[in-house]
Every structure is written in C-alpha cells, then in structure tokens.
Amino acid sequence: MSDTPAPVPAAEFWEARYRDTDRVWSGRPNALLVREASDLAPGTALDLGCGEGADAVWLASRGWRVTGVDISGTALERAAGHAADAGVGDRVSWERHELGQSFPEGSFDLVSAHYLQSPVALDRQAVLRDAARAVAHGGTLLLVLHAGWPSWQTEPPFDAVFPTLDGVLDELALPDGEWAVEAKETVRRPSTSPEGDEGFREDNVWRLRRVE
C-alpha cells in the first residue's frame, strides 16, 4: 500500500484557497496586462483564471466587455463585488469553468491568461489551445507565465516544470500564416519574500495576433 496522498481535485483545492482567506491577490491588475493591452482598441475580452477580478475590472474600466472565468465560486463572487464597487458590473459577466474540462463559448477580440500554473492537475496545453481557438480574427492572445521560482525561493514548495518561450509556441501548434508574434520575451520584476527578502522573479510573455 502506498503512503502517497491522493491528489486533491483542482476545484476543491482552489475553492479552499479562496475560502480560507479574505483576499488572495492584491486587487491591482497584472502589470504585464496593463503594458500589453493599453494600446488595444476595446472590444470583447476573455479573462481566463480571473481570480478576484482585478484584470477583468481594469479591462472593463477601459471600455471592454469582459467575460471572467475561474474555477472557484468564491473567487467569482468576490470578483463580481469588485466590479460592482468599481462601477463596471454591467460590463463584466462571470462564468465558472474548470479549464481543460469546459470552456466559454464564443470568440473574443482579446483572450488573456496570466499565470495559469497550478500545484494541482491542469492540462495547460489543452487550455492554451482552447484559448487560441477563442480569439477572433484580428484579435489578440496574451499569455503570461512564470519562467521559474523567485530568486529567494531556496526550497520549491512543489515540483514544477516551467514553460519556455519556444516551448509554449510549440504547445499551441498555431497554423502557419494565421498568427503574428508581436511580443515574445522574458521579463524580470522585483519580488519580495514573505519574510521581506528582496529578490526578483522572471515571467515569460507572449502577445500573438490572429491575422484577419
């Protein structure tokens, strides 16, 4: 008999993560979303793994009509409250999905996915391919994923394989001639440990446009 604990279902893991604390994230939009999407003309947007809604609210405040998706009902409730408080509740709809198992219907001018990385089961390749298929012609796919642990993380809390810039493009398997790579780079940003140690973390960024 094995002593290895049974895997925790993804929905159970993330629901507990949100339910067990009043707030998980900062409430501010991801800096790389702001950098990459500020020059895009507003249209329809899909925010995958929206958490407590900061990115979706920022997009809505700039004129986008946004669909925010998360696996946690608690996260979506908080996101809806955040949108209402910001006065953009009528510009955002919220859908609960376990990505890789289900996905929103329709096509979008912007599909944004930040940090779709999980210590529990997640078929990232399937999710990213679904994300690409959801981009309308002329639209943008924006992906941001951690490229490694923070510099101060001496003992990683779990095993992880971090994606590479070319590796994610291989996973996407985009048809030749249908996409333009507008950005593909590694970005280093400051990162502070819970104990206050200063350091950095690197993220990989892909901004892809579906050719009209």
Side-chain angles (χ1 to χ4, degrees):
M1 178 180 293
S2 172
D3 293 329
T4 303
V8 177
E12 180 181 328
F13 174 88
W14 286 107
E15 184 60 25
R17 174 81 184 274
Y18 284 100
R19 188 182 59 241
D20 292 347
T21 185
D22 291 336
R23 188 175 73 179
V24 174
W25 311 114
S26 70
R28 299 185 298 273
N30 282 300
L32 290 168
L33 171 69
V34 174
R35 189 189 79 170
E36 296 295 335
S38 290
D39 63 343
L40 298 178
T44 56
L46 176 62
D47 181 14
L48 298 174
C50 66
E52 291 158 327
D55 284 2
V57 168
W58 180 81
L59 287 165
S61 71
R62 296 181 64 83
W64 293 82
R65 291 203 169 273
V66 186
T67 300
V69 172
D70 204 88
I71 194 172
S72 166
T74 296
L76 293 172
E77 289 176 8
R78 292 179 187 170
H82 185 186
D85 290 344
V88 296
D90 61 336
R91 302 192 66 84
V92 190
S93 61
W94 308 99
E95 296 186 16
R96 187 174 183 179
H97 290 273
E98 182 171 347
L99 297 173
Q101 304 297 321
S102 65
F103 200 86
E105 296 182 355
S107 61
F108 303 84
D109 300 306
L110 170 65
V111 177
S112 175
H114 281 62
Y115 309 117
L116 285 180
Q117 292 161 289
S118 174
V120 292
L122 175 68
D123 187 345
R124 187 183 66 233
Q125 177 174 292
V127 175
L128 295 185
R129 290 184 178 182
D130 286 342
R133 284 191 288 267
V135 178
H137 290 286
T140 296
L141 176 63
L142 176 61
L143 307 175
V144 179
L145 295 167
H146 293 308
W149 295 108
S151 59
W152 42 261
Q153 188 84 59
T154 57
E155 295 184 6
F158 56 88
D159 292 334
V161 177
F162 291 97
T164 65
L165 290 170
D166 289 333
V168 163
L169 292 183
D170 290 341
E171 288 182 17
L172 285 168
L174 300 173
D176 291 341
E178 293 187 17
W179 292 82
V181 178
E182 297 185 330
K184 186 185 76 168
E185 63 175 311
T186 301
V187 176
R188 179 175 291 189
R189 58 181 173 82
S191 176
T192 304
S193 77
E195 293 75 30
D197 297 323
E198 298 294 333
F200 63 86
R201 190 164 199 178
E202 291 184 332
D203 294 330
N204 286 335
V205 184
W206 301 260
R207 176 173 157 174
L208 311 171
R209 180 174 53 84
R210 192 169 195 171
V211 177
E212 294 189 69

